[in-house]
Amino acid sequence: MPSRSAPAPAPQVLEEIAFQKAMVARLRREIGDVDRTSRRGYIKEFHSSIGRYQAPASWDDLVIACYRADLVYIGDYHALPSAQETAARLIQAIAERSRAVVLGVEMVYGRHQRLLDRYMNGELDELAFLRAIRYESDWGYDWAAFRTVYDVARRHHIPVVGLDCPPRTGFRHIRRRDRYAAERIAGMIASAPGARAVVLFGESHLAPAHLPKQVTKLLKRHGLEKRVVTVVQNLEEIYWQMSEAGHAGSEAARLGDDVYCHFSAGPIAKYEAYRRTIELWKGEDESQDDPVDLTSTVHGIIDMILRFLKIDPYTRRLQAPGRGRDLIVDLYPDIHSGLEPDEVRVLFRNARLPEEDAAEVLDHLERSGSCYVPRLNAIFLGEFSLVHAGEEAAHFVNQLLKGEIYEAVPRALPQHDLFYSAVLEEALGFFGSKIVDPSRNHFFENEFYQYYRKDRETIEKHTPYKFDEFNEIIDFVLLHKKFEHSYEHYGEVPQPLLDGIRSDPRRVNVLVHELGYFLGQQLHDAYRMGLVDRADMLALFRASFRRSGSALAAYLDLSRKVAPALKGGLTPAGSG
């Protein structure tokens, strides 16, 4: 159990937790209107028996615990792709440290084992396999995420065993499914006595009295006793307990001697993924060629950000350029997902906007996967990402609150003003994504910081940059952080910074992105430390930098205010 002498969480942390819980409760109510499974006793048994937060844990802790075990249960939240990606990553780590591994999966029925064997052996292509097991109708979750598990198994020559049986719908037969899966798991282990067994199954089945109890009972009949470790994922009750204990940034938590919880997403991201999956299922009769409508998802995120800023979009009115005083909810942007380039160009032509603007948006989509266009008041999304949707939702809120949606022409300002204004917008976009998923960490996800100080071959193999270009970008960020830490000691802006700000558009976009995300990470850390509050954030979202020099001044003042939150990333030389 956490130490009783641990300091009480800061008020800002409790405020953020309360906000997150309210948003999760709202999502769960929406989900509950369609799916009432969370009210079932079977689900409640899982949440009441899986354990409580004891201590933070690292990825290495998980891997070591799994290496020491004979049987590893990995809990899956089917609607969340990062859950399958984490499972694939953990299976790979286990395989790299084991003489032999065998994997059991819930996704495939036992009666389809021959089809699964043929797929794993390359005798059946992916499309034929999915059709043969009736993937869409009998499972229906994102195949791209589950594919990562099979790719790892194939790469490491891991036999894969289907564990489930029909019917999957409802709870009437769920314990019968556990008994069936237990028989398959026991047989899988008995037939490969020297192998480490891994089971990937829905999280609720992994309560000690559910599937694991059935397996233990059957193994005893075979005269087998196995060391067991259970790894569950993204449990919100553990997430809250960790946050309250001051360990919100930890990758995992220990819940007992043989139980761990790994985090790849925050609670809002988890339930939003489920809500979106339900929407996809509800629209399954529509043409499969139609792009997925993400309007309700993105508008829900906009609601979250506005409510964080204590703005009710259903009662507050704002003046938008060329319009009357509208309710904020009536100003929400159009959401376009999965559009072809020609469709984007048509939208711009119909709005009488220049062709080069459409080209710029298409380039941005290719680089970043998402884009908010204030003049159209539209968000464009490529491949869906919840954090990218959060960024663009925050960009919309920023432009809305400073009264700059539907602006006829861009502001005519010097390059350095446009640069720092864009950096501040990027920072607010990243902050908005942290409202949706506080577990996001720029320094861990970004290729620059992963490959900092690596050799030329590694950098040019794993990043889109040449070695010299990569180091110039890093040098710019380091020098800029040093400059902003003690700018009053500089007689003028250092020339390398001016050169970067005035460089080619591609380089400028990279520098804006890096400085903006860096500041956005600091802003969120500063909020949790009490250095800024919601009123400060509201003022930032409203700030408009139409006067030359105002954006740089605001950036420098803000960077000084949040300087104590500079952690986890690159520390500028001489900053202390």
Side-chain angles (χ1 to χ4, degrees):
M1 296 291 292
S3 171
R4 292 185 179 181
S5 61
Q12 305 78 233
V13 174
L14 292 177
E15 180 183 59
E16 183 178 61
I17 292 171
F19 173 79
Q20 294 279 320
K21 285 183 175 180
M23 293 298 100
V24 167
R26 183 181 174 203
L27 280 168
R28 293 186 68 170
R29 283 194 298 272
E30 289 183 25
I31 292 167
D33 289 341
V34 178
D35 181 359
R36 292 178 170 81
T37 57
S38 62
R39 305 172 193 174
R40 296 282 185 168
Y42 187 88
I43 302 294
K44 291 180 178 178
E45 284 176 28
F46 167 74
H47 287 285
S48 65
S49 64
I50 199 64
R52 288 182 57 80
Y53 172 68
Q54 292 189 358
S58 67
W59 177 257
D60 288 343
D61 293 331
L62 294 187
V63 173
I64 291 169
C66 292
Y67 175 74
R68 291 174 176 168
D70 304 306
L71 171 57
V72 179
Y73 292 106
I74 303 176
D76 184 39
Y77 193 78
H78 308 319
L80 186 66
S82 66
Q84 293 90 56
E85 291 159 6
T86 295
R89 181 183 168 207
L90 187 55
I91 292 165
Q92 175 160 313
I94 292 169
E96 290 171 348
R97 294 162 176 80
S98 304
R99 184 171 60 84
V101 176
V102 61
L103 171 65
V105 295
E106 179 187 8
M107 193 200 85
V108 180
Y109 289 145
R111 63 186 173 88
H112 288 149
Q113 186 62 48
R114 283 181 294 178
L115 294 168
L116 177 57
D117 291 341
R118 290 182 63 201
Y119 171 64
M120 294 304 297
N121 292 333
E123 300 168 14
L124 201 61
D125 68 36
E126 182 177 287
L127 184 59
F129 170 64
L130 296 179
R131 284 176 175 167
I133 66 172
R134 302 179 74 244
Y135 183 85
E136 286 299 328
S137 59
D138 284 353
W139 191 248
Y141 296 99
D142 181 11
W143 165 245
F146 279 92
R147 183 197 289 123
T148 61
V149 172
Y150 295 93
D151 287 347
V152 167
R154 188 178 285 112
R155 205 159 48 238
H156 291 276
H157 308 289
I158 299 172
V160 184
V161 178
L163 300 178
D164 204 8
C165 68
R168 285 185 174 129
T169 56
F171 276 73
R172 183 179 177 185
H173 302 293
I174 198 164
R175 296 184 193 274
R176 186 177 75 184
R177 288 174 58 208
D178 280 352
R179 288 193 296 273
Y180 177 86
E183 290 277 2
R184 299 280 293 175
I185 293 167
M188 176 180 85
I189 293 172
S191 64
R196 183 165 284 108
V198 180
V199 172
L200 179 62
F201 224 87
E203 62 179 28
S204 62
H205 296 266
L206 300 188
H210 294 170
L211 179 60
K213 181 179 180 180
Q214 300 283 344
V215 173
T216 299
K217 186 188 301 184
L218 290 171
L219 288 176
K220 283 183 178 178
R221 291 181 189 172
H222 288 278
L224 299 172
E225 188 171 342
K226 298 293 182 182
R227 294 168 297 177
V228 177
V229 162
T230 300
V231 180
V232 292
Q233 300 190 60
N234 304 307
L235 297 186
E236 63 269 24
E237 56 266 40
I238 306 302
Y239 183 91
W240 309 133
Q241 292 165 20
M242 284 180 65
S243 296
E244 289 167 358
H247 299 139
S250 298
E251 189 171 9
R254 182 163 57 84
L255 311 186
D257 292 339
D258 56 0
V259 183
Y260 291 83
C261 184
H262 180 268
F263 292 94
S264 60
I268 290 177
K270 172 182 173 178
Y271 284 106
E272 177 58 40
Y274 189 27
R275 190 188 70 79
R276 181 168 170 263
T277 297
I278 290 173
E279 282 206 349
L280 289 173
W281 288 343
K282 286 164 63 179
E284 64 186 3
D285 293 334
E286 298 176 6
S287 169
Q288 295 298 310
D289 296 328
D290 291 339
V292 177
D293 186 355
L294 298 173
T295 299
S296 59
T297 295
V298 180
H299 285 185
I301 294 170
I302 291 170
D303 279 353
M304 290 179 198
I305 295 171
L306 287 169
R307 291 180 188 279
F308 176 85
L309 298 173
K310 299 183 178 179
I311 294 174
D312 184 346
Y314 299 90
T315 60
R316 289 282 296 277
R317 294 180 179 271
L318 285 180
Q319 180 81 41
R323 301 170 64 107
R325 285 184 60 81
D326 291 326
L327 285 172
I328 289 177
V329 71
D330 292 332
L331 294 169
Y332 278 16
D334 294 328
I335 311 299
H336 302 288
S337 57
L339 294 188
E340 295 295 329
D342 284 347
E343 294 175 298
V344 173
R345 294 187 187 100
V346 167
L347 280 174
F348 275 76
R349 278 200 301 271
N350 290 343
R352 298 181 180 177
L353 295 178
E355 182 77 18
E356 53 266 30
D357 287 7
E360 187 177 334
V361 167
L362 289 169
D363 179 63
H364 194 93
L365 281 170
E366 186 176 351
R367 285 185 286 108
S368 305
S370 62
C371 185
Y372 171 63
V373 182
R375 292 183 66 188
L376 284 176
N377 193 25
I379 290 175
F380 293 84
L381 298 170
E383 184 175 342
F384 180 72
S385 160
L386 193 64
V387 293
H388 286 165
E391 286 181 35
E392 305 311 334
H395 289 319
F396 160 73
V397 171
N398 184 204
Q399 297 292 329
L400 174 80
L401 295 183
K402 62 185 182 180
E404 296 181 7
I405 61 172
Y406 300 118
E407 279 206 327
V409 292
R411 296 186 301 276
L413 288 170
Q415 176 62 23
H416 69 275
D417 291 307
L418 297 176
F419 179 87
Y420 285 103
S421 181
V423 168
L424 289 165
E425 289 175 359
E426 282 287 271
L428 292 177
F430 189 87
F431 185 90
S433 74
K434 292 277 283 185
I435 292 174
V436 179
D437 188 358
S439 64
R440 187 185 190 195
N441 190 313
H442 175 49
F443 305 122
F444 295 158
E445 72 181 26
N446 188 274
E447 62 194 11
F448 286 106
Y449 309 120
Q450 291 178 35
Y451 297 108
Y452 180 48
R453 290 180 175 168
K454 299 293 185 182
D455 59 87
R456 178 185 295 272
E457 182 180 359
T458 300
I459 287 171
E460 295 189 351
K461 179 180 180 181
H462 295 285
T463 80
Y465 304 101
K466 296 295 184 184
F467 181 75
D468 291 340
E469 182 182 25
F470 178 91
N471 285 307
E472 285 172 8
I473 293 168
I474 288 287
D475 290 344
F476 178 93
V477 174
L478 287 172
L479 178 59
H480 202 288
K481 301 313 286 185
K482 182 178 180 181
F483 165 67
E484 65 196 52
H485 179 76
S486 54
Y487 58 85
E488 67 275 10
H489 300 308
Y490 285 80
E492 55 186 20
V493 177
Q495 190 61 42
L497 297 188
L498 294 175
D499 292 341
I501 291 169
R502 296 166 182 165
S503 57
D504 66 272
R506 178 177 174 272
R507 176 71 61 81
V508 169
N509 285 334
V510 173
L511 298 179
V512 164
H513 178 86
E514 288 310 305
L515 281 184
Y517 272 33
F518 204 126
L519 182 59
Q521 182 80 44
Q522 285 181 268
L523 268 173
H524 188 262
D525 291 340
Y527 167 71
R528 292 181 64 89
M529 294 170 65
L531 300 173
V532 296
D533 57 21
R534 292 202 208 186
D536 294 323
M537 293 310 304
L538 177 59
L540 278 173
F541 271 91
R542 284 176 166 165
S544 180
F545 306 106
R546 296 175 181 271
R547 179 174 51 81
S548 182
S550 60
L552 174 58
Y555 177 91
L556 292 174
D557 288 346
L558 185 60
S559 64
R560 175 62 63 86
K561 189 171 187 177
V562 302
L566 180 60
K567 60 180 182 178
L570 299 173
T571 303
S575 65

